[in-house]
Coordinates of all heavy atoms in Angstrom, one line a residue:
S110 N -20.8 -14.4 1.0 CA -21.2 -14.6 -0.4 C -20.5 -13.5 -1.2 O -20.7 -12.3 -1.0 CB -22.7 -14.5 -0.6 OG -23.0 -14.4 -2.0
S111 N -19.8 -13.9 -2.2 CA -19.1 -12.9 -3.1 C -20.0 -12.2 -4.0 O -19.6 -11.2 -4.7 CB -18.0 -13.6 -3.9 OG -18.5 -14.6 -4.8
S112 N -21.2 -12.7 -4.2 CA -22.1 -12.2 -5.2 C -23.1 -11.2 -4.6 O -23.9 -10.6 -5.3 CB -22.9 -13.3 -5.9 OG -23.7 -14.0 -5.0
S113 N -23.2 -11.1 -3.2 CA -24.2 -10.2 -2.6 C -23.8 -8.8 -3.0 O -22.8 -8.3 -2.8 CB -24.1 -10.4 -1.1 OG -22.9 -10.1 -0.6
N114 N -24.8 -8.1 -3.6 CA -24.7 -6.7 -4.0 C -23.7 -6.5 -5.1 O -23.4 -5.3 -5.4 CB -24.3 -5.8 -2.8 CG -25.3 -5.9 -1.6 OD1 -26.5 -6.2 -1.9 ND2 -24.9 -5.5 -0.4
G115 N -23.1 -7.5 -5.6 CA -22.1 -7.3 -6.7 C -22.2 -8.4 -7.7 O -23.0 -9.3 -7.6
H116 N -21.3 -8.3 -8.7 CA -21.2 -9.3 -9.7 C -19.8 -9.6 -10.1 O -18.9 -8.7 -10.0 CB -22.0 -8.9 -11.0 CG -21.5 -7.7 -11.7 ND1 -21.7 -6.4 -11.3 CD2 -20.7 -7.7 -12.8 CE1 -21.1 -5.6 -12.1 NE2 -20.4 -6.3 -13.0
T117 N -19.5 -10.9 -10.4 CA -18.1 -11.3 -10.7 C -17.8 -10.9 -12.2 O -18.5 -11.2 -13.1 CB -18.0 -12.8 -10.6 OG1 -18.3 -13.2 -9.2 CG2 -16.6 -13.3 -10.9
V118 N -16.6 -10.2 -12.3 CA -16.2 -9.7 -13.6 C -15.0 -10.5 -14.1 O -14.6 -10.4 -15.3 CB -15.9 -8.2 -13.6 CG1 -17.1 -7.4 -13.3 CG2 -14.8 -7.9 -12.6
L119 N -14.3 -11.3 -13.2 CA -13.2 -12.1 -13.6 C -13.2 -13.3 -12.7 O -13.3 -13.1 -11.5 CB -11.9 -11.3 -13.6 CG -10.6 -12.1 -14.0 CD1 -9.7 -11.2 -14.8 CD2 -9.9 -12.7 -12.8
R120 N -12.9 -14.5 -13.2 CA -12.8 -15.6 -12.4 C -11.9 -16.7 -13.1 O -12.2 -17.1 -14.2 CB -14.2 -16.2 -12.0 CG -14.2 -17.4 -11.1 CD -15.6 -17.9 -10.8 NE -15.6 -19.0 -9.9 CZ -15.6 -18.9 -8.6 NH1 -15.6 -17.8 -8.0 NH2 -15.7 -20.0 -7.8
S121 N -10.9 -17.1 -12.4 CA -10.0 -18.1 -13.0 C -9.2 -18.8 -11.8 O -9.2 -18.3 -10.7 CB -9.0 -17.5 -14.0 OG -8.3 -18.5 -14.7
T122 N -8.6 -20.0 -12.2 CA -7.9 -20.7 -11.2 C -6.4 -20.5 -11.3 O -5.8 -20.6 -12.4 CB -8.2 -22.2 -11.3 OG1 -9.6 -22.4 -11.1 CG2 -7.5 -23.0 -10.2

Side-chain angles (χ1 to χ4, degrees):
S110 172
S111 63
S112 61
S113 62
N114 300 338
H116 65 281
T117 300
V118 295
L119 180 145
R120 185 178 178 85
S121 187
T122 302

